[in-house]
C-alpha cells in the first residue's frame, strides 16, 4: 500500500509539473492578447483565468494520484492516464472558451461614455449589418474603436428602448454600430476636461491618474476624458482623450461627476 501511494504521489507530481508549464503558457498568452490594460479588470479576467488554472491544475494531477497503480499493466496505465489527460484537456479547452467569450472585442462610444464590449455580449448574427471592418470579431487584435448611431425614426427608437430594458444596449448591437469617425463630433461635444477631474480627485486617485498619463507617452496631448464602463464595471475607469477625441490611454479612476 505504501509503495502504491509513493508511486502515485510521484506520478501526480510529474503530472503537476507538466500541467503548470502547459497552463502557465496558455495563461500568459491569454493575458497578453485578451486582457491587457484595463480589460483585465473590466471583464473580471483574473477571476476567469484563475478558475481555469485551478480547475485544470487540480483535476489532472489529483485524478492521476487516484488512478495510478504500478501493479496495473502497461496497457491499463496507458488507458487510465490517456483518459486523465483527455479530461484535463477538455477542462482547459472549456476554460479557454469561457475566456474567449469574455475577451474584449470593441470599444464603443455610447451617448456620454465608452463601453468595453465582450465577445459573448455581441449578437453575431447581426454582424453583417455592422460597418465595414467591424463585421468580424477580433481574436488577437485590439478591440475595434466604434461609435453608435442615432435611431432612424421614432419606431426604431422605441424598439431600441425595449431592447435596452432587456439588457441589450446599443453598444453591443452590431446593427447600431457606426465608424468612430462618424461619432467623433459627438464625442468632442461630450468629452470632459481632465483638469476639472484632476482637481477633485483624492490624492491616491490623482497619483493613479498621473501614472496612467505617463504611460500614454503623450501626457501633454491628453486634455479630456470620458467614463469607461463594461457589463461588470461601471465606475472605475476613464478613457484619456486628446483634443481631437482620439483615445490615448486609460486611467483607473472614476469619471462620473459626484
Amino acid at each position: 500500500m505504501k509503495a502504491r501511494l509513493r508511486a502515485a504521489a510521484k506520478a501526480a507530481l510529474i503530472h503537476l509539473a507538466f500541467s503548470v508549464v502547459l497552463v502557465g503558457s496558455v495563461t500568459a498568452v491569454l493575458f497578453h492578447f485578451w486582457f491587457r490594460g484595463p480589460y483585465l479588470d473590466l471583464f473580471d479576467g483574473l477571476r476567469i483565468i484563475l478558475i481555469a488554472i485551478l480547475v485544470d491544475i487540480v483535476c489532472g494531477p489529483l485524478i492521476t494520484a487516484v488512478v495510478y497503480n504500478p501493479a496495473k499493466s502497461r496497457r491499463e496505465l496507458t488507458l487510465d492516464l490517456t483518459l486523465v489527460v483527455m479530461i484535463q484537456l477538455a477542462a482547459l479547452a472549456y476554460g479557454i472558451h469561457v475566456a474567449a467569450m469574455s475577451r474584449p472585442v470593441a470599444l464603443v462610444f455610447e451617448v456620454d461614455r465608452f463601453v468595453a464590449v465582450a465577445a459573448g455580449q455581441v449578437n453575431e448574427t447581426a454582424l453583417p449589418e455592422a460597418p465595414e471592418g467591424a463585421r468580424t470579431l477580433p481574436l488577437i487584435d485590439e478591440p475595434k474603436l466604434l461609435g453608435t448611431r442615432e435611431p432612424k425614426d421614432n419606431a426604431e427608437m422605441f424598439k431600441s428602448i425595449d431592447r435596452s430594458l432587456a439588457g441589450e444596449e446599443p453598444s453591443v448591437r452590431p446593427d447600431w454600430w457606426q465608424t468612430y469617425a462618424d461619432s467623433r463630433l459627438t464625442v468632442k461635444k461630450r468629452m470632459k476636461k481632465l483638469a476639472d477631474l484632476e482637481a477633485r480627485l483624492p490624492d491616491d486617485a490623482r497619483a493613479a491618474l498621473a501614472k496612467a498619463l505617463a504611460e500614454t507617452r503623450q501626457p501633454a496631448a491628453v486634455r479630456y476624458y470620458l467614463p469607461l464602463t463594461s457589463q461588470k464595471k461601471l465606475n472605475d475607469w476613464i478613457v484619456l482623450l486628446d483634443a481631437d477625441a482620439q483615445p490615448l490611454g486609460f486611467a483607473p479612476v472614476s469619471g462620473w461627476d459626484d
Side-chain angles (χ1 to χ4, degrees), residues 30-31 68 91 110 165 168 171 190 207 229 243:
L30 296 184
F31 276 121
Y68 189 86
E110 179 184 288
L165 291 174
E168 188 186 8
S171 53
R190 298 286 187 174
T229 69

Side-chain angles (χ1 to χ4, degrees), residues 1-228:
M1 183 65 177
K2 289 183 179 179
R4 187 263 170 190
L5 291 176
R6 283 196 296 270
K10 181 179 178 181
L13 286 173
I14 293 172
H15 193 161
L16 177 62
F18 280 107
S19 297
V20 169
V21 172
L22 173 62
V23 177
S25 300
V26 171
T27 300
V29 171
L30 296 184
F31 276 121
H32 178 72
F33 286 109
W34 290 347
F35 297 108
R36 288 173 287 185
Y39 300 115
L40 183 66
D41 181 50
L42 287 166
F43 294 109
D44 208 5
L46 184 60
R47 182 183 65 85
I48 293 169
I49 293 174
L50 283 178
I51 290 174
I53 290 172
L54 291 174
V55 169
D56 205 67
I57 288 180
V58 170
C59 79
L62 184 61
I63 298 174
T64 294
V66 172
V67 304
Y68 189 86
N69 188 339
K72 292 181 179 180
S73 68
R74 181 184 293 269
R75 180 176 180 276
E76 288 176 314
L77 281 175
T78 300
L79 288 173
D80 286 347
L81 294 179
T82 298
L83 180 60
V84 172
V85 170
M86 290 177 63
I87 292 172
Q88 188 175 20
L89 289 177
L92 180 60
Y94 179 73
I96 293 173
H97 170 72
V98 172
M101 296 304 289
S102 300
R103 77 185 190 277
V105 294
L107 182 64
V108 185
F109 171 73
E110 179 184 288
V111 184
D112 60 352
R113 72 201 68 185
F114 283 89
V115 182
V117 178
Q121 295 178 265
V122 178
N123 179 6
E124 294 192 38
T125 61
L127 281 172
E129 301 179 59
E132 188 174 353
R135 292 172 185 164
T136 58
L137 300 181
L139 184 60
I140 60 174
D141 295 329
E142 289 286 335
K144 296 181 183 297
L145 182 61
L146 298 163
T148 51
R149 62 175 177 81
E150 295 293 325
K152 297 174 183 176
D153 51 39
N154 286 339
E156 189 181 47
M157 181 183 68
F158 289 121
K159 184 178 180 180
S160 176
I161 292 172
D162 288 339
R163 293 173 71 180
S164 294
L165 291 174
E168 188 186 8
E169 298 291 345
S171 53
V172 306
R173 308 177 202 158
D175 53 322
W176 276 70
W177 290 347
Q178 65 181 13
T179 66
Y180 187 68
D182 288 335
S183 290
R184 193 181 298 273
L185 184 59
T186 306
V187 178
K188 286 184 176 182
K189 293 177 180 178
R190 298 286 187 174
M191 61 189 190
K192 306 175 183 181
K193 292 182 179 179
L194 190 64
D196 293 342
L197 173 65
E198 188 174 12
R200 66 173 185 268
L201 288 176
D203 291 343
D204 56 342
R206 192 177 296 116
L209 176 59
K211 180 180 178 182
L213 285 170
E215 290 174 353
T216 67
R217 299 181 182 179
Q218 304 177 68
V222 179
R223 289 289 180 268
Y224 301 91
Y225 75 95
L226 277 175
L228 172 61

